[in-house]
Amino acid sequence: MSITDYATAIVEKIGKANLNNVLKISDEVGADNFEDLALNIMRKSADIALENPKKSASIISIVSRYLNMYRANFIYNKQMIIDSCMLELCTVMRSV
Amino acid sequence: MDSSILKKILTAPPLAHLDIPQFMIFIENEPINARAYLNLMSKKLNLPIALYDTADNAIYDIERDLFEDKIYYILNDESILKKQDYIPYLNTIGKFVVVGFDGVKISDGFQKDNAQFIYTFEKADTKTLISYIRKKMPSLNVTENTLTRLIECSDHRLSQINNELDKLSKLTRAEQESYFMLPDQFPDLRTIDNMTVWLMIINKNSSFIPHINILINSAVQSMLALYTMARKKFVATNDKYYAKLMLLCFKTHSSIIDGTSTSENAIKKFVIDLMWG
């Protein structure tokens, strides 16, 4: 799957995903590709903003926060960032 | 109990000559979780597993020990030792572990040397452990607080408590009193290091709480190590405790290294969120 495909799957299905599966996505995408993934997720989320503004805003809020941390990559651990972003997305989206 | 499984176990060839310990659980009442778990273990280990007496603590500890690559013979609840039908087979299979509660009643003919007794207790069972210690060593004249420390150092494992008590029984009365009066006489306390604390957290053992200074002194390293261990455990068990631990480790690690929080405050928050969040 391409990064774009992962991003689409995440935006569409993250609220129903199993926590263990989201970690698998994190492993398959790889910590070094988190920036690409994050930007694609935010683009896909913007696409659904009209039909589901709350979900879109929540996803963008969470991902942009982790992207900022990722871009300060001289201090934060990349693997922790991508894992935690995926886990937090999954957890928060369940209640949206 | 399923009689076909029982027959299979009782007619199995002697296993004592094998180096690989065999694994049996006897669990009764067949709760849904136990049944699903046992089916998984039966396939994984390719062993007959019978259902007999149940204890949720035992299931938790069996699962934990298996995922840490410790495989034991396990008999759940000492009542199995009263069953004469099982005695010849139990004597044949060699070393095993009894997981039970509050003493073991051993039937005639059972070779006690074969058994290594491990008891698992929830924190709330400290009183029972203290009663056990007092019964085992009535001459031990120490306070409840001291006995509680002995239990905490032993990680609630009766085998370790028994080891400590065996050592104590060889001391004179004055030496026993001296043993308990000096905090550094608890050898476990002196050997507690980072890894011990980390393992306590990973094993969901709240005994790590008195040792958070160890976490504070190595905050960044501890968070990275715990994160790695929790991730591995989460992938293996899908237990949400480890997902929570991962997120907390990340938040704590980030807040320390970007200067948002001191190590002390961050670790204290970590402990509070982990235990009570």
Side-chain angles (χ1 to χ4, degrees):
Chain A
M1 282 171 73
S2 66
I3 299 278
T4 315
D5 293 333
Y6 279 117
T8 306
I10 287 167
V11 171
E12 287 176 359
K13 299 174 190 170
I14 192 82
K16 294 176 188 165
N18 181 284
L19 286 177
N20 223 327
N21 288 341
V22 301
L23 273 194
K24 284 180 190 162
I25 293 176
S26 151
D27 285 335
E28 284 165 17
V29 169
D32 289 335
N33 297 320
F34 176 69
E35 180 157 0
D36 277 343
L37 179 68
L39 290 170
N40 272 289
I41 290 174
M42 289 200 284
R43 279 191 208 109
K44 295 290 173 190
S45 298
D47 290 344
I48 65 164
L50 281 177
E51 66 187 75
N52 198 335
K54 194 173 176 187
K55 180 178 178 181
S56 174
S58 299
I59 292 176
I60 291 174
S61 167
I62 291 169
V63 174
S64 61
R65 178 161 40 91
Y66 281 97
L67 184 57
N68 277 341
M69 297 175 95
Y70 182 84
R71 282 172 170 165
N73 62 5
F74 63 94
I75 50 174
Y76 296 117
N77 182 292
K78 287 183 188 176
Q79 187 65 48
M80 277 185 166
I81 290 172
I82 187 172
D83 287 346
S84 302
C85 179
M86 294 295 111
L87 287 174
E88 192 167 330
L89 270 177
C90 186
T91 309
V92 171
M93 286 303 111
R94 282 178 181 176
S95 55
V96 169
Chain B
M1 177 184 290
D2 185 330
S3 60
S4 65
I5 294 177
L6 177 58
K7 188 178 174 185
K8 200 171 174 183
I9 291 171
L10 290 179
T11 56
L15 303 170
H17 65 283
L18 294 178
D19 290 331
I20 303 168
Q22 300 300 306
F23 185 106
M24 296 190 291
I25 305 177
F26 292 82
I27 299 178
E28 197 175 64
N29 300 327
E30 305 175 16
I32 293 172
N33 288 338
R35 181 180 283 284
Y37 177 84
L38 289 175
N39 285 338
L40 176 67
M41 292 321 306
S42 183
K43 284 177 197 163
K44 183 174 175 179
L45 297 173
N46 194 28
L47 286 170
I49 295 182
L51 300 181
Y52 194 63
D53 287 326
T54 190
D56 288 342
N57 288 348
I59 300 227
Y60 167 79
D61 279 285
I62 289 164
E63 185 171 351
R64 181 180 67 196
D65 288 343
L66 280 171
F67 282 115
E68 289 177 356
D69 297 322
K70 294 179 200 166
I71 300 180
Y72 301 105
Y73 297 85
I74 294 180
L75 302 176
N76 184 356
D77 203 314
E78 71 278 6
S79 58
I80 189 145
L81 298 176
K82 296 186 238 178
K83 299 285 185 179
Q84 288 294 334
D85 289 344
Y86 300 150
I87 297 299
Y89 182 70
L90 293 177
N91 285 336
T92 303
I93 62 175
K95 296 288 181 191
F96 60 88
V97 169
V98 177
V99 178
F101 190 89
D102 194 21
V104 173
K105 296 162 189 64
I106 299 169
S107 173
D108 291 339
F110 175 64
Q111 292 170 12
K112 188 180 172 185
D113 291 342
N114 281 345
Q116 177 189 356
F117 298 107
I118 289 182
Y119 290 77
T120 59
F121 293 91
E122 297 294 336
K123 202 172 177 189
D125 293 324
T126 302
K127 279 191 183 172
T128 308
L129 276 171
I130 289 176
S131 302
Y132 172 85
I133 292 170
R134 288 209 181 281
K135 273 186 213 167
K136 189 171 166 89
M137 283 191 73
S139 60
L140 199 63
N141 184 23
V142 292
T143 64
E144 301 284 309
N145 281 341
T146 309
L147 287 177
T148 304
R149 290 184 70 198
L150 176 64
I151 292 164
E152 284 171 358
C153 287
S154 308
D155 190 20
H156 285 209
R157 296 285 183 177
L158 194 60
S159 59
Q160 292 186 24
I161 292 173
N162 279 331
N163 287 341
E164 286 297 315
L165 292 177
D166 284 341
K167 281 184 215 165
L168 284 171
S169 65
K170 294 179 175 87
L171 302 177
T172 64
R173 176 67 176 265
E175 285 170 337
Q176 282 180 7
E177 286 174 6
S178 167
Y179 184 92
F180 280 106
M181 282 175 67
L182 298 173
D184 60 0
Q185 288 302 311
F186 282 105
D188 287 337
L189 279 178
R190 283 180 296 182
T191 60
I192 284 184
D193 58 6
N194 291 350
M195 181 61 79
T196 309
V197 174
W198 298 339
L199 284 173
M200 286 179 185
I201 295 171
I202 291 295
N203 290 331
K204 303 185 190 181
N205 186 342
S206 58
S207 300
F208 78 93
I209 294 177
H211 309 296
I212 65 165
N213 279 338
I214 291 174
L215 286 177
I216 292 171
N217 292 339
S218 62
V220 171
Q221 181 197 11
S222 292
M223 290 300 109
L224 281 171
L226 276 169
Y227 180 86
T228 308
M229 293 159 89
R231 194 183 201 278
K232 186 179 169 190
K233 276 289 205 182
F234 179 62
V235 168
T237 65
N238 210 25
D239 185 338
K240 286 181 187 168
Y241 171 81
Y242 298 111
K244 179 181 172 185
L245 182 55
M246 284 170 68
L247 281 170
L248 283 176
C249 285
F250 169 67
K251 287 178 183 171
T252 309
H253 176 264
S254 310
S255 69
I256 295 170
I257 59 174
D258 67 12
T260 310
S261 178
T262 62
S263 295
E264 184 175 350
N265 287 346
I267 294 293
K268 284 179 179 174
K269 186 172 188 322
F270 167 83
V271 171
I272 291 169
D273 288 344
L274 182 65
M275 299 304 300
W276 296 284

